Amino acid sequence: MCVKHLNTPLVEAEKFSFGYEEDMLLKDLQFALEKEEFILVAGASGSGKSTLALCLNGLYPEAVEGTKKGAVRIHGRKTEDYEKGELSQRIGVVFQDPESQFCMMKVEDELAFVLENQKVPSEEMEQKIDRVLLETGLSEQKHRLIHELSGGQKQKIALASVLLMEPDLLILDEPTANLDPVSSLEFAELAAAVQRERRCAVMVIEHQPDDWMPFIKRVLLLGKDGRMKADGSPDQIYLQQKDLLIQEGVYLPQTFRRPESPLLLPESREEEIIRVENLSYSRKDRTILTDVNFSMRAGEFAAVTGENGTGKSTLLQLMARLLEPESGKVLFAGKNINDWEEGELRKRSGYVFQNPEHQFITDTVFEELAFGPELNGKRDAEAHVHRLLKTFHLTEQREASPFSLSGGQKRRLSVATMLEETPDILFFDEPTFGQDARTTEELMKIVLELRRKGTAIVFVTHDMDLVDKYCEKVLVLTEGTAVFNGKPETLWTEDELLARARLRLPHRIREREVYRVVD
Ligand SMILES: Nc1ncnc2c1ncn2[C@@H]1O[C@H](COP(=O)(O)OP(=O)(O)OP(=O)(O)O)[C@@H](O)[C@H]1O
Ligand SMILES: Nc1ncnc2c1ncn2[C@@H]1O[C@H](COP(=O)(O)OP(=O)(O)OP(=O)(O)O)[C@@H](O)[C@H]1O
């Protein structure tokens, strides 16, 4: 091995700029990553973190006909000098939504498919598949159908598929955003174990990096203007550059900020807005929910939580009449939900889907926001849209396709489209995932204003800090059964129940002693 190769960084960005159109999104990036480094890329929603990941693995600019200046070198060679497909093996990417990555129905077939693409001889496949399943703790899932697995298991399969290519750099782009608290921690620990064992480099992109902090040795901060704003150890970044991070709207890890107490919200109103009675639901022969009871008053904030796949989104959809119960009933404002006229029900209730793309129906952000108001003949529709664009930081994206937005921007658009009227109830599936600190704060301000006007809000969430800070009541599901229905502060005393539901305590309680705050 020559000395030059030993000293060559794994990744080198040399005055690298990239834009989807003429305007550059990433500007003049200059950094190097060494072999075996474990780094975090932080930055506001829309700053270009996912774009950077796809530039490093050589997919961009070609795949999107973007423009670039400068160069990215991998092992000293420019990305464009690699054969097509060669780089995606060296630089493996795991995305937030594992399902978008799968091509086959069964776990073993998915992994075999990856190996076939790499032209691995069939007699070697079995051994490679078994090894990676063992490494990721999935041996027992080998013969199972992927769609029957939990979110955490699916994300581990996505990791296993990428590991089969034996990458030198593993990029994990918000890999735990959809996972329950225990699965999220397990995934971070698994990635760290893989990194130690394989001695590859890992680049994590995460808004709330707490579970990763024990492993992160270096943080890169990508600015809203597309420039690299800071590069250093976690202590250098989070203790010395705190103002810059706040200015950029980026989350500080919980151990670097003061714990937040629950908000003292005014009492919600007496009037009951929704009541769920003995609700059960099955899909094909599988029971999803069993005998669930739940109610909410006007202006109340409630959370539905529990492990991946336990039926939280299904319950929300039943409460909003997007699904029909097998038995039991839902009363909306005192009347059986089935007796409401469709238009009236939709006006009085809003639904923000877990996957924002499920909501988009037009070609531009502006049209998406104008669609409802125009349909309903709202007089000041245009002014209303401009207000929403400003509030949700989407003005620059007004002519963009909703589908080309960043994850966080899509989420904000999906919320904004629900705010044409002040609904009696807002069903909100995963409000904080994929959002940076500033947009989460602004989103919650809007939600608090709705509450003040009497809107009840039910969140489906894995974010225990959100439950702790905002919610007056919380419903916990395990295997489709309600195992807790009460105040968050009572839930935090139920250790056994928390463990069974794969939940963890909020940081306020969990890490009381370890705060490292500099004012
Ligand atoms: N295919 C595309 N075509 C045009 N613009 C795009 C495309 N993909 C992303 N963008 C734009 O590039 C910008 C950066 O997006 P990117 O997904 O890289 O941001 P991000 O930092 O990962 O955001 P988030 O934290 O919200 O996931 C956004 O303004 C987005 O609208
Ligand atoms: N369209 C569908 N067809 C078949 N099964 C489905 C469908 N949607 C959901 N399921 C299954 O129903 C169960 C409950 O799903 P649901 O999305 O309600 O769970 P969840 O608690 O919201 O999960 P997560 O936290 O992962 O979002 C899961 O096992 C899921 O695989």
Side-chain angles (χ1 to χ4, degrees):
M1 200 182 288
C2 70
V3 176
K4 180 172 176 292
H5 187 71
L6 276 178
N7 293 332
T8 308
L10 170 55
V11 175
E12 241 177 324
E14 293 169 344
K15 287 191 163 291
F16 179 73
S17 303
F18 169 85
Y20 289 98
E21 284 153 18
E22 267 167 46
D23 284 348
M24 290 299 182
L25 170 70
L26 302 171
K27 297 187 192 109
D28 271 335
L29 301 184
Q30 185 86 29
F31 64 89
L33 301 185
E34 302 299 333
K35 301 166 189 91
E36 299 183 40
E37 273 202 283
F38 205 123
I39 71 158
L40 171 73
V41 177
S45 163
S47 57
K49 303 179 296 298
S50 302
T51 304
L52 174 62
L54 294 167
C55 289
L56 296 187
N57 89 341
L59 197 64
Y60 288 4
E62 275 71 20
V64 283
E65 293 179 9
T67 43
K68 76 164 177 96
K69 283 193 212 147
V72 170
R73 290 176 193 275
I74 308 292
H75 290 305
R77 250 166 88 195
K78 287 186 183 172
T79 49
E80 58 267 34
D81 294 342
Y82 281 83
E83 292 291 318
K84 222 180 169 95
E86 196 184 347
L87 254 190
S88 56
Q89 296 183 16
R90 302 272 57 82
I91 315 284
V93 189
V94 176
F95 296 99
Q96 182 183 92
D97 175 14
E99 263 151 281
S100 62
Q101 282 169 276
F102 300 139
C103 303
M104 310 301 277
M105 303 280 281
K106 274 173 137 183
V107 174
E108 56 189 330
D109 296 344
E110 180 64 32
L111 299 176
F113 180 71
V114 174
L115 294 174
E116 268 165 32
N117 282 339
Q118 284 182 272
K119 312 231 169 356
V120 171
S122 50
E123 61 275 14
E124 290 175 25
M125 283 188 187
E126 188 88 11
Q127 195 197 2
K128 282 184 187 277
I129 291 173
D130 287 343
R131 208 177 63 199
V132 82
L133 286 172
L134 187 68
E135 185 179 12
T136 49
L138 287 170
S139 299
E140 285 179 22
Q141 274 66 44
K142 182 175 174 183
H143 306 296
R144 290 189 64 189
L145 290 166
I146 295 175
H147 79 262
E148 286 180 354
L149 300 180
S150 73
Q153 287 169 331
K154 283 181 195 156
Q155 197 55 294
K156 286 180 189 171
I157 297 168
L159 176 65
S161 315
V162 169
L163 290 177
L164 282 175
M165 297 191 243
E166 303 189 3
D168 302 322
L169 171 63
L170 195 54
I171 302 183
L172 307 172
D173 190 353
E174 299 191 52
T176 59
N178 291 329
L179 302 189
D180 62 55
V182 172
S183 301
S184 172
L185 181 66
E186 283 176 0
F187 188 86
E189 286 173 346
L190 171 63
V194 163
Q195 191 271 340
R196 278 193 302 271
E197 187 63 27
R198 296 184 171 233
R199 308 183 66 179
C200 57
V202 173
M203 174 190 271
V204 182
I205 300 172
E206 270 294 351
H207 286 291
Q208 302 205 41
D210 301 273
D211 290 342
W212 299 91
M213 289 319 290
F215 317 115
I216 301 286
K217 300 286 182 298
R218 178 178 164 203
V219 181
L220 300 182
L221 173 67
L222 191 58
K224 280 184 284 196
D225 62 359
R227 294 180 188 278
M228 199 61 83
K229 295 283 179 179
D231 178 350
S233 69
D235 275 6
Q236 282 166 339
I237 299 292
Y238 294 119
L239 293 174
Q240 294 163 22
Q241 306 268 13
K242 192 174 163 187
D243 291 344
L244 176 63
L245 291 161
I246 293 171
Q247 194 185 319
E248 288 288 332
V250 170
Y251 273 105
L252 291 169
Q254 296 279 352
T255 47
F256 289 92
R257 56 176 139 130
R258 293 205 180 284
E260 290 183 274
S261 301
L263 288 186
L264 285 172
L265 295 170
E267 276 286 297
S268 43
R269 304 176 191 177
E270 278 306 308
E271 158 204 355
E272 191 172 270
I273 190 69
I274 201 146
R275 170 168 288 274
V276 166
E277 287 179 0
N278 308 109
L279 208 62
S280 296
Y281 186 77
S282 304
R283 279 187 198 275
K284 296 192 183 130
D285 290 336
R286 221 175 119 221
T287 304
I288 308 287
L289 291 170
T290 314
D291 217 9
V292 177
N293 290 288
F294 186 59
S295 69
M296 286 178 69
R297 291 179 295 165
E300 195 165 37
F301 273 8
V304 178
T305 190
E307 67 186 303
N308 284 120
T310 191
K312 302 180 296 294
S313 301
T314 305
L315 175 62
L316 211 63
Q317 288 171 29
L318 286 162
M319 285 166 76
R321 206 179 76 186
L322 298 176
L323 292 174
E324 212 171 302
E326 182 179 290
S327 63
K329 63 180 171 193
V330 179
L331 299 172
F332 177 66
K335 189 162 95 177
N336 191 318
I337 201 164
N338 293 330
D339 297 337
W340 283 87
E341 191 260 319
E342 179 72 14
E344 186 64 12
L345 183 66
R346 296 300 155 226
K347 219 184 244 178
R348 294 185 59 170
S349 62
Y351 197 103
V352 181
F353 284 87
Q354 183 171 14
N355 181 346
E357 293 189 7
H358 288 170
Q359 270 170 260
F360 300 148
I361 43 179
T362 67
D363 294 333
T364 70
V365 169
F366 190 96
E367 287 170 16
E368 197 66 31
L369 291 171
F371 186 79
E374 278 172 3
L375 195 70
N376 295 324
K378 204 176 176 108
R379 257 187 294 131
D380 58 349
E382 195 162 335
H384 172 79
V385 172
H386 282 293
R387 263 197 311 277
L388 288 174
L389 286 171
K390 195 155 172 255
T391 310
F392 286 88
H393 302 287
L394 289 169
T395 304
E396 272 183 41
Q397 283 74 34
R398 64 185 176 275
E399 296 307 326
S401 156
F403 296 94
S404 77
L405 298 179
S406 79
Q409 290 165 341
K410 280 182 189 154
R411 166 45 101 223
R412 296 204 290 285
L413 178 60
S414 68
V415 178
T417 56
M418 284 299 120
L419 298 181
E420 182 200 342
E421 307 280 341
T422 305
D424 290 338
I425 187 160
L426 185 63
F427 300 99
F428 207 149
D429 206 340
E430 299 280 1
T432 47
F433 96 88
Q435 292 300 325
D436 58 41
R438 175 156 314 137
T439 46
T440 298
E441 198 181 300
E442 285 168 3
L443 210 61
M444 294 317 290
K445 248 193 229 161
I446 292 165
V447 165
L448 281 169
E449 179 57 19
L450 285 175
R451 182 189 190 278
R452 202 183 56 75
K453 294 180 183 164
T455 301
I457 304 192
V458 50
F459 305 111
V460 163
T461 187
H462 294 299
D463 183 343
M464 293 303 108
D465 297 316
L466 178 95
V467 176
D468 186 52
K469 185 168 173 191
Y470 293 96
C471 294
E472 296 152 274
K473 82 164 46 153
V474 51
L475 179 76
V476 181
L477 298 177
T478 60
E479 293 175 13
T481 305
V483 291
F484 180 90
N485 184 1
K487 289 184 185 302
E489 68 235 44
T490 314
L491 177 62
W492 309 145
T493 63
E494 304 265 355
D495 295 347
E496 218 176 282
L497 192 145
L498 286 169
R500 185 148 56 96
R502 295 180 72 79
L503 302 177
R504 296 166 74 205
L505 289 170
H507 286 87
R508 175 176 71 88
I509 297 171
R510 200 190 321 156
E511 285 163 13
R512 232 168 228 152
E513 279 93 46
V514 292
Y515 288 92
R516 311 174 60 199
V517 180
V518 179
D519 283 322

mmCIF file of all heavy atoms in Angstrom, residues 251 263 265 301 392 415 428 431-432 437-451 457 459 463 466-467 469-471:
data_model
loop_
_atom_site.group_PDB
_atom_site.id
_atom_site.type_symbol
_atom_site.label_atom_id
_atom_site.label_comp_id
_atom_site.label_asym_id
_atom_site.label_seq_id
_atom_site.Cartn_x
_atom_site.Cartn_y
_atom_site.Cartn_z
ATOM 1 N N TYR A 251 -31.486 22.188 16.720
ATOM 2 C CA TYR A 251 -31.633 21.651 18.079
ATOM 3 C C TYR A 251 -30.280 21.527 18.777
ATOM 4 O O TYR A 251 -29.311 21.057 18.168
ATOM 5 C CB TYR A 251 -32.196 20.225 18.038
ATOM 6 C CG TYR A 251 -33.688 20.132 18.016
ATOM 7 C CD1 TYR A 251 -34.358 19.796 16.846
ATOM 8 C CD2 TYR A 251 -34.432 20.342 19.163
ATOM 9 C CE1 TYR A 251 -35.743 19.689 16.812
ATOM 10 C CE2 TYR A 251 -35.814 20.237 19.145
ATOM 11 C CZ TYR A 251 -36.463 19.912 17.971
ATOM 12 O OH TYR A 251 -37.818 19.804 17.962
ATOM 13 N N LEU A 263 -45.776 22.839 30.122
ATOM 14 C CA LEU A 263 -46.433 24.150 30.049
ATOM 15 C C LEU A 263 -47.632 24.186 30.984
ATOM 16 O O LEU A 263 -48.331 23.186 31.145
ATOM 17 C CB LEU A 263 -46.947 24.397 28.626
ATOM 18 C CG LEU A 263 -45.942 24.694 27.537
ATOM 19 C CD1 LEU A 263 -46.692 25.038 26.256
ATOM 20 C CD2 LEU A 263 -45.028 25.837 27.932
ATOM 21 N N LEU A 265 -50.919 25.110 30.960
ATOM 22 C CA LEU A 265 -51.963 25.516 30.013
ATOM 23 C C LEU A 265 -53.254 25.806 30.765
ATOM 24 O O LEU A 265 -53.558 25.142 31.761
ATOM 25 C CB LEU A 265 -52.223 24.379 29.015
ATOM 26 C CG LEU A 265 -51.051 24.031 28.091
ATOM 27 C CD1 LEU A 265 -51.328 22.755 27.335
ATOM 28 C CD2 LEU A 265 -50.785 25.164 27.114
ATOM 29 N N PHE A 301 -55.253 19.014 24.634
ATOM 30 C CA PHE A 301 -54.122 18.419 23.912
ATOM 31 C C PHE A 301 -53.946 16.993 24.424
ATOM 32 O O PHE A 301 -53.757 16.806 25.633
ATOM 33 C CB PHE A 301 -52.822 19.152 24.239
ATOM 34 C CG PHE A 301 -52.541 20.345 23.378
ATOM 35 C CD1 PHE A 301 -53.485 20.816 22.478
ATOM 36 C CD2 PHE A 301 -51.313 20.983 23.452
ATOM 37 C CE1 PHE A 301 -53.215 21.915 21.690
ATOM 38 C CE2 PHE A 301 -51.037 22.084 22.668
ATOM 39 C CZ PHE A 301 -51.980 22.563 21.788
ATOM 40 N N PHE A 392 -44.943 29.639 7.521
ATOM 41 C CA PHE A 392 -44.337 28.312 7.470
ATOM 42 C C PHE A 392 -42.997 28.291 6.715
ATOM 43 O O PHE A 392 -42.514 27.227 6.352
ATOM 44 C CB PHE A 392 -45.319 27.307 6.855
ATOM 45 C CG PHE A 392 -46.428 26.943 7.816
ATOM 46 C CD1 PHE A 392 -47.584 27.699 7.876
ATOM 47 C CD2 PHE A 392 -46.299 25.877 8.677
ATOM 48 C CE1 PHE A 392 -48.596 27.391 8.774
ATOM 49 C CE2 PHE A 392 -47.297 25.551 9.574
ATOM 50 C CZ PHE A 392 -48.446 26.312 9.632
ATOM 51 N N VAL A 415 -49.187 20.669 7.128
ATOM 52 C CA VAL A 415 -49.888 21.302 8.259
ATOM 53 C C VAL A 415 -50.604 22.562 7.775
ATOM 54 O O VAL A 415 -51.776 22.788 8.087
ATOM 55 C CB VAL A 415 -48.899 21.674 9.393
ATOM 56 C CG1 VAL A 415 -49.633 22.372 10.536
ATOM 57 C CG2 VAL A 415 -48.202 20.430 9.915
ATOM 58 N N PHE A 428 -53.229 14.853 14.319
ATOM 59 C CA PHE A 428 -51.883 15.224 13.899
ATOM 60 C C PHE A 428 -50.941 14.032 14.083
ATOM 61 O O PHE A 428 -50.557 13.706 15.205
ATOM 62 C CB PHE A 428 -51.440 16.404 14.780
ATOM 63 C CG PHE A 428 -50.449 17.315 14.153
ATOM 64 C CD1 PHE A 428 -50.423 18.664 14.484
ATOM 65 C CD2 PHE A 428 -49.527 16.856 13.241
ATOM 66 C CE1 PHE A 428 -49.504 19.526 13.926
ATOM 67 C CE2 PHE A 428 -48.603 17.698 12.673
ATOM 68 C CZ PHE A 428 -48.595 19.039 13.021
ATOM 69 N N PRO A 431 -46.204 15.158 14.707
ATOM 70 C CA PRO A 431 -45.987 16.572 14.412
ATOM 71 C C PRO A 431 -44.529 16.993 14.321
ATOM 72 O O PRO A 431 -44.192 17.872 13.543
ATOM 73 C CB PRO A 431 -46.658 17.303 15.583
ATOM 74 C CG PRO A 431 -46.816 16.292 16.647
ATOM 75 C CD PRO A 431 -46.905 14.961 15.983
ATOM 76 N N THR A 432 -43.642 16.388 15.099
ATOM 77 C CA THR A 432 -42.293 16.956 15.182
ATOM 78 C C THR A 432 -41.257 16.235 14.330
ATOM 79 O O THR A 432 -40.134 16.710 14.207
ATOM 80 C CB THR A 432 -41.788 16.962 16.643
ATOM 81 O OG1 THR A 432 -42.039 15.676 17.211
ATOM 82 C CG2 THR A 432 -42.496 18.013 17.451
ATOM 83 N N ALA A 437 -35.312 22.762 15.247
ATOM 84 C CA ALA A 437 -35.798 23.356 16.503
ATOM 85 C C ALA A 437 -36.722 24.536 16.242
ATOM 86 O O ALA A 437 -37.779 24.665 16.844
ATOM 87 C CB ALA A 437 -34.611 23.805 17.348
ATOM 88 N N ARG A 438 -36.312 25.410 15.297
ATOM 89 C CA ARG A 438 -37.109 26.615 15.103
ATOM 90 C C ARG A 438 -38.482 26.290 14.540
ATOM 91 O O ARG A 438 -39.498 26.806 14.999
ATOM 92 C CB ARG A 438 -36.388 27.599 14.179
ATOM 93 C CG ARG A 438 -37.274 28.803 13.885
ATOM 94 C CD ARG A 438 -36.541 30.045 13.488
ATOM 95 N NE ARG A 438 -35.418 30.326 14.326
ATOM 96 C CZ ARG A 438 -34.231 30.728 13.838
ATOM 97 N NH1 ARG A 438 -34.050 30.859 12.551
ATOM 98 N NH2 ARG A 438 -33.243 30.972 14.659
ATOM 99 N N THR A 439 -38.533 25.414 13.532
ATOM 100 C CA THR A 439 -39.848 25.146 12.926
ATOM 101 C C THR A 439 -40.742 24.371 13.895
ATOM 102 O O THR A 439 -41.947 24.581 13.910
ATOM 103 C CB THR A 439 -39.729 24.440 11.567
ATOM 104 O OG1 THR A 439 -38.806 23.393 11.683
ATOM 105 C CG2 THR A 439 -39.287 25.388 10.495
ATOM 106 N N THR A 440 -40.149 23.518 14.721
ATOM 107 C CA THR A 440 -40.960 22.832 15.732
ATOM 108 C C THR A 440 -41.577 23.866 16.663
ATOM 109 O O THR A 440 -42.776 23.826 16.961
ATOM 110 C CB THR A 440 -40.088 21.865 16.569
ATOM 111 O OG1 THR A 440 -39.554 20.888 15.698
ATOM 112 C CG2 THR A 440 -40.897 21.177 17.651
ATOM 113 N N GLU A 441 -40.751 24.801 17.096
ATOM 114 C CA GLU A 441 -41.240 25.823 18.021
ATOM 115 C C GLU A 441 -42.365 26.633 17.375
ATOM 116 O O GLU A 441 -43.402 26.894 17.993
ATOM 117 C CB GLU A 441 -40.052 26.732 18.354
ATOM 118 C CG GLU A 441 -40.237 27.558 19.596
ATOM 119 C CD GLU A 441 -39.008 28.436 19.799
ATOM 120 O OE1 GLU A 441 -37.896 27.883 19.933
ATOM 121 O OE2 GLU A 441 -39.166 29.644 19.777
ATOM 122 N N GLU A 442 -42.170 26.991 16.100
ATOM 123 C CA GLU A 442 -43.190 27.807 15.431
ATOM 124 C C GLU A 442 -44.469 27.008 15.196
ATOM 125 O O GLU A 442 -45.574 27.520 15.336
ATOM 126 C CB GLU A 442 -42.627 28.374 14.130
ATOM 127 C CG GLU A 442 -41.668 29.511 14.440
ATOM 128 C CD GLU A 442 -40.852 29.949 13.256
ATOM 129 O OE1 GLU A 442 -41.055 29.404 12.157
ATOM 130 O OE2 GLU A 442 -39.986 30.829 13.439
ATOM 131 N N LEU A 443 -44.286 25.750 14.857
ATOM 132 C CA LEU A 443 -45.440 24.870 14.657
ATOM 133 C C LEU A 443 -46.243 24.763 15.957
ATOM 134 O O LEU A 443 -47.470 24.850 15.964
ATOM 135 C CB LEU A 443 -44.914 23.487 14.275
ATOM 136 C CG LEU A 443 -45.756 22.614 13.387
ATOM 137 C CD1 LEU A 443 -45.976 23.283 12.051
ATOM 138 C CD2 LEU A 443 -45.059 21.278 13.167
ATOM 139 N N MET A 444 -45.532 24.603 17.052
ATOM 140 C CA MET A 444 -46.220 24.443 18.322
ATOM 141 C C MET A 444 -46.890 25.743 18.759
ATOM 142 O O MET A 444 -47.926 25.725 19.412
ATOM 143 C CB MET A 444 -45.268 23.914 19.409
ATOM 144 C CG MET A 444 -44.758 22.502 19.152
ATOM 145 S SD MET A 444 -45.969 21.308 18.560
ATOM 146 C CE MET A 444 -46.978 21.106 20.008
ATOM 147 N N LYS A 445 -46.323 26.879 18.359
ATOM 148 C CA LYS A 445 -46.959 28.169 18.648
ATOM 149 C C LYS A 445 -48.308 28.246 17.937
ATOM 150 O O LYS A 445 -49.306 28.677 18.512
ATOM 151 C CB LYS A 445 -46.061 29.308 18.130
ATOM 152 C CG LYS A 445 -45.472 30.139 19.227
ATOM 153 C CD LYS A 445 -44.893 31.399 18.639
ATOM 154 C CE LYS A 445 -43.507 31.617 19.158
ATOM 155 N NZ LYS A 445 -42.706 32.514 18.353
ATOM 156 N N ILE A 446 -48.321 27.798 16.684
ATOM 157 C CA ILE A 446 -49.568 27.820 15.902
ATOM 158 C C ILE A 446 -50.599 26.896 16.543
ATOM 159 O O ILE A 446 -51.773 27.218 16.680
ATOM 160 C CB ILE A 446 -49.276 27.404 14.445
ATOM 161 C CG1 ILE A 446 -48.448 28.488 13.776
ATOM 162 C CG2 ILE A 446 -50.556 27.143 13.667
ATOM 163 C CD1 ILE A 446 -47.805 28.075 12.490
ATOM 164 N N VAL A 447 -50.113 25.747 16.976
ATOM 165 C CA VAL A 447 -50.993 24.762 17.588
ATOM 166 C C VAL A 447 -51.557 25.296 18.922
ATOM 167 O O VAL A 447 -52.733 25.121 19.234
ATOM 168 C CB VAL A 447 -50.189 23.451 17.762
ATOM 169 C CG1 VAL A 447 -50.860 22.510 18.695
ATOM 170 C CG2 VAL A 447 -49.980 22.778 16.412
ATOM 171 N N LEU A 448 -50.718 26.014 19.663
ATOM 172 C CA LEU A 448 -51.192 26.601 20.932
ATOM 173 C C LEU A 448 -52.252 27.671 20.682
ATOM 174 O O LEU A 448 -53.216 27.805 21.436
ATOM 175 C CB LEU A 448 -50.016 27.212 21.701
ATOM 176 C CG LEU A 448 -49.153 26.219 22.469
ATOM 177 C CD1 LEU A 448 -47.872 26.879 22.958
ATOM 178 C CD2 LEU A 448 -49.908 25.627 23.664
ATOM 179 N N GLU A 449 -52.055 28.418 19.598
ATOM 180 C CA GLU A 449 -53.037 29.449 19.239
ATOM 181 C C GLU A 449 -54.375 28.785 18.874
ATOM 182 O O GLU A 449 -55.446 29.263 19.250
ATOM 183 C CB GLU A 449 -52.464 30.276 18.069
ATOM 184 C CG GLU A 449 -53.337 31.379 17.525
ATOM 185 C CD GLU A 449 -53.756 32.413 18.575
ATOM 186 O OE1 GLU A 449 -53.111 32.494 19.625
ATOM 187 O OE2 GLU A 449 -54.773 33.107 18.328
ATOM 188 N N LEU A 450 -54.290 27.659 18.158
ATOM 189 C CA LEU A 450 -55.522 26.919 17.827
ATOM 190 C C LEU A 450 -56.210 26.453 19.108
ATOM 191 O O LEU A 450 -57.425 26.507 19.246
ATOM 192 C CB LEU A 450 -55.198 25.697 16.961
ATOM 193 C CG LEU A 450 -54.847 25.945 15.503
ATOM 194 C CD1 LEU A 450 -54.429 24.644 14.840
ATOM 195 C CD2 LEU A 450 -56.018 26.545 14.744
ATOM 196 N N ARG A 451 -55.391 25.983 20.058
ATOM 197 C CA ARG A 451 -55.954 25.508 21.318
ATOM 198 C C ARG A 451 -56.698 26.642 22.030
ATOM 199 O O ARG A 451 -57.783 26.466 22.563
ATOM 200 C CB ARG A 451 -54.827 24.989 22.233
ATOM 201 C CG ARG A 451 -55.334 24.436 23.551
ATOM 202 C CD ARG A 451 -54.201 24.146 24.496
ATOM 203 N NE ARG A 451 -54.666 23.411 25.661
ATOM 204 C CZ ARG A 451 -55.242 23.964 26.727
ATOM 205 N NH1 ARG A 451 -55.442 25.268 26.768
ATOM 206 N NH2 ARG A 451 -55.630 23.210 27.728
ATOM 207 N N ILE A 457 -56.564 18.969 20.056
ATOM 208 C CA ILE A 457 -55.521 18.424 19.174
ATOM 209 C C ILE A 457 -55.046 17.089 19.706
ATOM 210 O O ILE A 457 -54.700 16.969 20.890
ATOM 211 C CB ILE A 457 -54.345 19.402 19.030
ATOM 212 C CG1 ILE A 457 -54.910 20.733 18.525
ATOM 213 C CG2 ILE A 457 -53.291 18.832 18.097
ATOM 214 C CD1 ILE A 457 -53.945 21.725 18.060
ATOM 215 N N PHE A 459 -52.217 14.274 19.073
ATOM 216 C CA PHE A 459 -50.963 13.946 18.400
ATOM 217 C C PHE A 459 -50.720 12.442 18.474
ATOM 218 O O PHE A 459 -50.868 11.871 19.555
ATOM 219 C CB PHE A 459 -49.769 14.560 19.129
ATOM 220 C CG PHE A 459 -49.826 16.048 19.342
ATOM 221 C CD1 PHE A 459 -49.996 16.577 20.607
ATOM 222 C CD2 PHE A 459 -49.653 16.907 18.276
ATOM 223 C CE1 PHE A 459 -50.015 17.942 20.809
ATOM 224 C CE2 PHE A 459 -49.672 18.279 18.472
ATOM 225 C CZ PHE A 459 -49.858 18.806 19.746
ATOM 226 N N ASP A 463 -42.414 11.176 20.463
ATOM 227 C CA ASP A 463 -41.579 12.190 21.095
ATOM 228 C C ASP A 463 -42.072 12.434 22.525
ATOM 229 O O ASP A 463 -43.032 13.166 22.758
ATOM 230 C CB ASP A 463 -41.673 13.461 20.230
ATOM 231 C CG ASP A 463 -40.783 14.584 20.721
ATOM 232 O OD1 ASP A 463 -40.344 14.540 21.876
ATOM 233 O OD2 ASP A 463 -40.541 15.514 19.930
ATOM 234 N N LEU A 466 -42.259 16.028 23.784
ATOM 235 C CA LEU A 466 -43.467 16.731 23.316
ATOM 236 C C LEU A 466 -44.664 16.384 24.205
ATOM 237 O O LEU A 466 -45.416 17.251 24.637
ATOM 238 C CB LEU A 466 -43.759 16.316 21.866
ATOM 239 C CG LEU A 466 -45.008 16.918 21.256
ATOM 240 C CD1 LEU A 466 -44.654 18.172 20.477
ATOM 241 C CD2 LEU A 466 -45.682 15.939 20.315
ATOM 242 N N VAL A 467 -44.813 15.101 24.515
ATOM 243 C CA VAL A 467 -45.911 14.655 25.383
ATOM 244 C C VAL A 467 -45.779 15.350 26.738
ATOM 245 O O VAL A 467 -46.741 15.893 27.290
ATOM 246 C CB VAL A 467 -45.868 13.116 25.575
ATOM 247 C CG1 VAL A 467 -46.939 12.663 26.564
ATOM 248 C CG2 VAL A 467 -46.033 12.401 24.244
ATOM 249 N N LYS A 469 -44.205 18.125 27.586
ATOM 250 C CA LYS A 469 -44.326 19.586 27.611
ATOM 251 C C LYS A 469 -45.755 20.061 27.322
ATOM 252 O O LYS A 469 -46.227 21.008 27.937
ATOM 253 C CB LYS A 469 -43.348 20.196 26.603
ATOM 254 C CG LYS A 469 -43.324 21.704 26.644
ATOM 255 C CD LYS A 469 -42.172 22.276 25.866
ATOM 256 C CE LYS A 469 -42.291 23.798 25.795
ATOM 257 N NZ LYS A 469 -41.364 24.375 24.842
ATOM 258 N N TYR A 470 -46.432 19.407 26.375
ATOM 259 C CA TYR A 470 -47.694 19.976 25.897
ATOM 260 C C TYR A 470 -48.966 19.218 26.280
ATOM 261 O O TYR A 470 -50.041 19.807 26.270
ATOM 262 C CB TYR A 470 -47.672 20.068 24.363
ATOM 263 C CG TYR A 470 -46.671 21.057 23.835
ATOM 264 C CD1 TYR A 470 -45.414 20.652 23.424
ATOM 265 C CD2 TYR A 470 -46.994 22.410 23.748
ATOM 266 C CE1 TYR A 470 -44.487 21.563 22.934
ATOM 267 C CE2 TYR A 470 -46.079 23.322 23.257
ATOM 268 C CZ TYR A 470 -44.826 22.895 22.852
ATOM 269 O OH TYR A 470 -43.914 23.799 22.374
ATOM 270 N N CYS A 471 -48.858 17.910 26.520
ATOM 271 C CA CYS A 471 -50.110 17.143 26.542
ATOM 272 C C CYS A 471 -50.729 17.037 27.928
ATOM 273 O O CYS A 471 -50.041 16.843 28.924
ATOM 274 C CB CYS A 471 -49.874 15.765 25.941
ATOM 275 S SG CYS A 471 -49.491 15.917 24.202
#
